[in-house]
Amino acid sequence: MKTLTLQEICTDIFAGATIFTNNTLSREYNDDGFRVIRLADIQNNEISFKDCLYYNKQDYRKNRYLLQDNDILISSRGTIFKVAIFTKSDNQKTIPSGFLTCIRLKPELKMSVHYVAAYLRHIENDIIKHSSNTENAEDKKPKIKLKLSDIYNIKIPIVSAKIQNDIDALATQATSLLRENLQKMQEIEKILEQ
């Protein structure tokens, strides 16, 4: 089966913004600031915006990190490998933290972001194991330290449009079921709080 590297199928792959101090992050909404997606904001393969922090400084350099609709975020640091697709639902300027890497597919290739994200989740163990920067092999849970060059060279099999469409349909169903389940869990919590 033909494969292409992520570098070959992407218009851009970049590490998230480095923010040196928590003093510049706040829960307060700021029209001039940037919403920051952190590792903790990715849960169950989705981005949860409810606990996002905001970088409230005017910093034109952070514009370089602005996320676009259908960008794929993967954890490049930490102990849990996470993959999520960013969906632009409002006009808030949003950037990934330095523990995440953004993968932006070439639109002209018409590759499904759901397929690429699902494939990255599928080969999670290979990505971590083959990273030359993982921690001590005796650790129960190795620390992930992926360099951009590690990510550039991840090979993605080129599959038919039908397979990609099937994955899109299944991903949509799974997301719907997950959201329904989370909503029911919240309803249970409300009842228990009464």
Side-chain angles (χ1 to χ4, degrees), residues 160-175:
S160 70
K162 183 192 180 322
I163 290 173
Q164 292 185 54
N165 290 337
D166 290 347
I167 289 172
D168 283 347
L170 289 169
T172 301
Q173 289 173 3
T175 300

Side-chain angles (χ1 to χ4, degrees), residues 19 23-24 27 40 42 83 93 119 123 125 148-149 156 185:
I19 299 171
N23 295 341
T24 56
R27 289 204 188 281
I42 298 176
V83 180
K93 295 185 289 186
Y119 187 77
I123 62 166
N125 291 333
L148 284 176
S149 60
I156 305 294
M185 294 303 292

Side-chain angles (χ1 to χ4, degrees), residues 100-115:
L100 294 166
T101 297
C102 176
I103 297 167
R104 186 169 295 150
L105 300 179
K106 290 179 180 175
E108 64 270 19
L109 293 180
K110 295 186 170 125
M111 288 193 71
S112 162
V113 293
H114 294 288
Y115 164 66

